[in-house]
Amino acid sequence: MPAVDDDIRADFLVEAGDLIEKLGGQLVELESRPDDTDLLNAIFRAFHTVKGGAGFLGIGPLVELCHATEDVFNALRNGKRTVDAALMDAVLQAVDLVQAMMASVSAGDPPQAPPPELIEGLHALVSEEAPAVIVEIAKAPVSAAASDTISEDEFDALLDKLDADKKKAPRKPADTITEDEFDALLDQLDADKKNPAKPAKAADPNLITDDEFESLLDQMAIEKKAATSSPCPRDSGVRAGVRGAPPAGAVGSGKGPAPHPSSLPPSRGGEGAKQGGTAPVASAPPAETSVRVDTVKLDRMMNLVGELVLVRNRLKALAGAASSDVGRAVRELDFITRGLQGAVMQVRMQPIGKVFSRFPKLARDVARGLGKQVEVTLIGQDTDLDKNLVEALADPLVHMVRNSVDHGIEMPDVRVARGKSPAGQLKLEARQEGDHIRITVRDDGGGIDPERVRTKVVEKKLMDAAAAARLSHEECLQLIFLPGFSTKDQVSDLSGRGVGMDVVKQRIQSLNGTAMIESHPGQGSAVHLRVPLTLAILPALMIDAGERQFALPLAMVADVFALDPDAVRKVGHWPVIPLKRENLRLIDLEVWAGAADTTGTRHVVVVMLGEERYGLIVRQVRGREEVVIKPLGQTLRGLAGVAGATVTPQGRVALIVDVPGLVQTHAKGP
C-alpha cells in the first residue's frame, strides 16, 4: 500500500467499517424484500463508497472485490438480475472477505488478493442473466429515475454545462449536483480509465482537459460534502469528518485532497458585475456538529470525573459539621458534578444496534449450515449503553443466537407438522429499565423440557439425583448455565461440548448483571440479560463487616432487616432463616471477611441473583453511595467474591462484593 496519512486511513477504516457492519443485516433484509429499491441502492452505495476509499489508499485487492460485488448490485438495480440463494451466498462471502481485508489494513498488513473463484463467481452472476448489460446501457439512455448511469452525449453535455458555469460565477448552493449525478460521474471516470484506447474526440474548445476534469470532480466533492453535512451520517458515506478525509471522488487521482473553497481564487464577475450589480456570494458551509474522539481520551475523561465524584463524596461527608454557606457550596458542587458525570457518561454511550446488526447474517449462516430457515427481528436498536458494555456483550450474544438457531428452532418439516411457518422466528430486543438495560433473545422453537434437563444433569454427574429432584421447573431451566451441561447427544461444530451458555452467565455476572432462561415446551425459549448502563460508576449500598467496609451493587439489594440469631437453622450445609414462607439461605460476610467477633446486633441484606434470593449477614448498613470502580491490585485479582475496589468519603479503601462469585463459593460447601 502507498504511504498515506494515518489519520486518513483511520477515517476510512471507521467510516467503511460502519457501512460494512450494516451490510450483513441489509443483505438478509434484501433476501426477504428483493424489490426494495431503497435497500438495493443503499447496499450498492456502500460497496461503491468502500471501493472509492480503498482506491484512494491504493488497496488493490479491496477495490477489485468491491467492484465485482458492486457490478452484481448494479445488475439488480437495473432489473437484469434477480435475488436468489446463490447470489446471496456469494455476496455474503464477499462481505466476510471485505471485513477480513479491512482487519489486515487496520493491523498495517497488505490484504490478500480475493480468491479467483469468488471473483469469477461474482462476474458469472452478472453475465448469467445479463450478457449484454454494458452494450444496452451504452446504446439506450436510461432516465435518472430508473438508473444512476447516463448516456455518453448526456455526460458530455453535463460536463460542458458544469465547465461553463464554473467560468461564469461561483456556484450557488442550489446548483450543487445530486448524489446520483455525482456517482454517475465517478462511474464514467472509472470506465474511461479502464478503456484508455478509446479514440479521442476532435479538439473542441468546449471540452475540458483531463486535469480540469480531475479538478472538477474534486471541487464537486468538496461542494457535495458541504451541502450534505448533517448531524446524522448519510448512507452514501460522503460525510464531513473532523480531519477532512479525502472525498470518494478523488479516488485514483493521486493528487490528494482538493483545497477548501475558501482558499480558491475568486471568480471573475459575470453579467451581474458588468451591469454594476453584486455578484452572487456562495454561502458558507454549515459548521461541523460532530467530532471523532479517541476512546482513550474518553476513558481518561471518565477517570477524572470519577476522581471528582470521590472528592465530592468526601466534601459532602465533611459538610455536615460546616457552616451553612459551606454546605450550600457543597450542594452546588454536588449538582454540577452530577450533571458533568451524566454528560460524560452520555458521550460514552453507543447504541446496542452496533452489536445487533451482525446477528441477522450470523443467524442466516448458522441456519443454512443446519438446513433450517430463520427470520431475525431487531427491536430497540437505538437503546444506548456504555461503549465498554457494547463490546463486552458481543460474545455472549453470539453464543445465545447460535444456541437459539441450533437448539431451539426446529427443521422446516418439523415446524410445518406442528402448525408453524417453515422459517423460525428469532427476536433480539433491548430496552432500558431504570439504570439497567434488559436484552432478550427469544425464539419460537421447540422450547426446553425441564424434566429432560433434570435427567441430563444427573447423567452428566453435575448434580446428585436427590438434589435434582428437589428443583422446581424454573430452577431446572437455569441448569442450562452449568459448565459442561448440554442437551445434545452428539458433538458437532456448533454444540454438544457443554461450552456456551455457561460462558454467557459468567460474562454477564462479571458485568454485575444477571442472566435468566424462560421456556415453554413447544412454544419457544427466551434468555433475558440484565446489565447496568455503565461499568465506571456504581450505585452501591455501603456496609460494614468485621473491621472492613464493603460496597454491594445496589441493583441486587432487595431488603434489609435485623438478624434474629435464634431463628437461624441448618439445611444441608446452608444456614437459613424463614422469610415470607420460604427459607432464605445465609452467607455470613463477617466470617468471610475474617472477623474475630460475630456477636451483638447484626443485620441481613437480602440480595437477588436472578430469581433466587440470598441473605448476607453484616455488622452495619451505612447507606447508599455512588462509588467509582477501581481495578484490583495484583494480590487481590482473581479473589472469589471481590469484584473491585473504591475509596470511601472517609478516605478508606472499600472492596466491592462480587455477589455471584460469593454465592458460587459458598454453594460448594465447606
Side-chain angles (χ1 to χ4, degrees):
M1 295 184 294
V4 179
D5 186 273
D6 288 340
D7 288 347
I8 296 177
R9 182 182 290 108
D11 285 345
F12 164 74
L13 290 172
V14 171
E15 297 191 11
D18 289 344
L19 293 172
I20 297 300
E21 196 171 83
K22 296 176 183 176
L23 273 178
Q26 290 175 328
L27 289 169
V28 174
E29 286 183 35
L30 182 65
E31 201 167 18
S32 58
R33 304 201 315 268
D35 298 328
D36 191 327
T37 305
D38 292 338
L39 188 57
L40 266 176
N41 288 334
I43 296 172
F44 174 85
R45 286 196 300 269
F47 282 109
H48 188 77
T49 302
V50 174
K51 182 188 77 171
F56 180 82
L57 294 173
I59 311 172
L62 187 54
V63 172
E64 180 184 9
L65 180 59
C66 287
H67 186 74
T69 314
E70 180 187 42
D71 286 344
V72 173
F73 283 94
N74 200 33
L76 289 172
R77 293 196 308 166
N78 293 333
K80 304 299 183 182
R81 190 57 164 92
T82 57
V83 176
D84 54 34
L87 183 145
M88 293 303 299
D89 287 343
V91 172
L92 287 170
Q93 185 180 351
V95 171
D96 290 338
L97 192 54
V98 168
Q99 290 176 322
M101 288 183 175
M102 290 178 60
S104 297
V105 174
S106 179
D109 301 324
Q112 298 292 324
E117 57 270 20
L118 176 59
I119 299 297
E120 292 171 3
L122 291 170
H123 289 324
L125 289 172
V126 178
S127 60
E128 280 176 8
E129 296 184 23
V133 169
I134 298 176
V135 175
E136 290 177 4
I137 291 176
K139 289 181 178 179
V142 182
S143 66
S147 170
D148 288 339
T149 57
I150 58 176
S151 69
E152 186 172 319
D153 291 339
E154 290 174 327
F155 183 74
D156 288 337
L158 174 62
L159 289 182
D160 293 343
K161 182 180 184 304
L162 290 171
D163 187 52
D165 291 343
K166 180 182 175 183
K167 293 177 181 178
K168 286 182 180 179
R171 183 188 301 273
K172 297 180 182 178
D175 292 334
T176 55
I177 63 172
T178 67
E179 185 173 314
D180 290 341
E181 292 171 331
F182 182 74
D183 286 338
L185 286 175
L186 291 181
D187 292 338
Q188 184 64 29
L189 174 62
D190 187 52
D192 290 343
K193 288 188 175 182
K194 291 182 178 179
N195 299 279
K198 184 177 178 180
K201 294 186 178 182
D204 189 331
N206 292 325
L207 293 179
I208 60 175
T209 66
D210 288 343
D211 289 341
E212 290 174 324
F213 182 69
E214 294 280 1
S215 177
L216 175 64
L217 285 179
D218 290 344
Q219 177 65 18
M220 287 190 295
I222 291 292
E223 293 171 351
K224 180 182 179 67
K225 187 175 182 180
T228 59
S229 294
S230 67
C232 300
R234 295 169 60 93
D235 285 340
S236 65
V238 182
R239 179 172 68 179
V242 69
R243 297 188 181 99
V251 173
S253 67
K255 297 178 182 178
H260 191 277
S262 62
S263 64
L264 297 175
S267 300
R268 294 182 179 88
E271 292 299 324
K274 290 181 181 179
Q275 297 171 6
T278 303
V281 179
S283 61
E288 294 286 356
T289 57
S290 63
V291 294
R292 185 174 297 139
V293 181
D294 194 308
T295 55
V296 174
K297 295 181 180 178
L298 287 179
D299 291 339
R300 183 169 180 270
M301 185 185 301
M302 195 67 196
N303 289 336
L304 291 173
V305 170
E307 296 298 330
L308 181 60
V309 170
L310 292 177
V311 175
R312 185 272 314 270
N313 292 345
R314 176 70 170 154
L315 287 173
K316 287 175 68 176
L318 295 173
S323 66
S324 59
D325 290 341
V326 173
R328 186 181 303 109
V330 170
R331 287 193 295 273
E332 291 176 1
L333 175 63
D334 181 30
F335 178 78
I336 294 171
T337 303
R338 289 179 184 275
L340 179 60
Q341 175 185 331
V344 173
M345 287 176 60
Q346 199 63 38
V347 171
R348 286 168 54 97
M349 293 293 180
Q350 288 184 342
I352 191 67
K354 183 179 176 67
V355 177
F356 275 12
S357 61
R358 71 184 67 176
F359 293 122
K361 178 180 179 299
L362 173 67
R364 179 190 184 277
D365 291 344
V366 174
R368 283 185 65 82
L370 297 170
K372 298 180 179 181
Q373 300 175 24
V374 62
E375 296 176 356
V376 181
T377 304
L378 306 179
I379 301 174
Q381 298 180 73
D382 56 350
T383 304
D384 289 335
L385 67 164
D386 191 286
K387 70 175 186 66
N388 292 335
L389 275 168
V390 170
E391 298 163 1
L393 285 171
D395 285 343
L397 287 173
V398 166
H399 284 295
M400 292 164 62
V401 169
R402 288 165 62 101
N403 194 71
S404 290
V405 177
D406 186 19
H407 290 269
I409 294 175
E410 313 97 324
M411 298 295 289
D413 56 338
V414 175
R415 291 182 60 85
V416 171
R418 293 177 176 175
K420 301 180 181 179
S421 64
Q425 302 297 314
L426 182 63
K427 182 186 296 183
L428 279 78
E429 180 179 3
R431 67 176 184 270
Q432 184 172 344
E433 296 179 345
D435 59 353
H436 278 67
I437 294 290
R438 178 179 289 273
I439 300 172
T440 301
V441 177
R442 186 185 303 275
D443 66 70
D444 69 340
I448 303 172
D449 182 359
E451 293 305 320
R452 185 160 183 258
V453 173
R454 195 192 308 269
T455 302
K456 280 287 184 181
V457 79
V458 175
E459 286 179 3
K460 293 180 177 292
K461 299 181 179 179
L462 298 174
M463 182 177 289
D464 62 78
R470 291 194 296 267
L471 297 176
S472 66
H473 282 197
E474 290 74 19
E475 290 172 330
C476 282
L477 293 177
Q478 311 316 311
L479 296 177
I480 298 293
F481 291 118
L482 283 177
F485 179 82
S486 176
T487 56
K488 283 271 187 173
D489 296 319
Q490 295 182 342
V491 175
S492 68
D493 292 339
L494 286 176
S495 59
R497 296 178 175 83
V499 178
M501 295 307 289
D502 64 314
V503 174
V504 170
K505 186 167 186 177
Q506 291 171 10
R507 187 60 176 144
I508 296 304
Q509 288 181 347
S510 71
L511 301 174
N512 293 320
T514 58
M516 187 192 70
I517 294 179
E518 169 197 350
S519 183
H520 303 283
Q523 300 178 28
S525 305
V527 182
H528 304 282
L529 307 181
R530 193 168 185 268
V531 294
L533 282 174
T534 179
L535 299 177
I537 296 177
L538 177 73
L541 182 70
M542 304 304 294
I543 58 174
D544 287 346
E547 301 299 323
R548 298 180 181 274
Q549 195 168 131
F550 294 90
L552 283 172
L554 192 63
M556 293 184 173
V557 177
D559 196 5
V560 177
F561 62 88
L563 174 66
D564 179 5
D566 296 333
V568 178
R569 58 190 179 86
K570 278 268 190 169
V571 175
H573 70 274
W574 282 100
V576 301
I577 190 170
L579 179 68
K580 297 179 181 178
R581 300 180 181 178
E582 66 179 41
N583 288 328
L584 180 70
R585 286 170 283 187
L586 300 176
I587 299 174
D588 196 326
L589 213 59
E590 290 204 295
V591 172
W592 176 72
D597 182 15
T598 58
T599 61
T601 303
R602 299 199 293 169
H603 296 80
V604 177
V605 179
V606 181
V607 294
M608 298 294 297
L609 192 58
E611 295 298 310
E612 299 181 349
R613 296 192 299 177
Y614 297 88
L616 305 183
I617 302 176
V618 303
R619 174 63 57 182
Q620 181 181 356
V621 177
R622 289 183 173 269
R624 179 190 187 279
E625 281 184 18
E626 287 186 336
V627 301
V628 179
I629 302 174
K630 299 290 185 181
L632 293 171
Q634 192 65 38
T635 56
L636 292 176
R637 195 167 299 163
L639 182 64
V642 180
T646 188
V647 180
T648 69
Q650 293 75 30
R652 299 173 57 189
V653 174
L655 297 178
I656 299 172
V657 178
D658 173 20
V659 177
L662 192 65
V663 170
Q664 188 175 4
T665 300
H666 280 72
K668 296 176 182 178

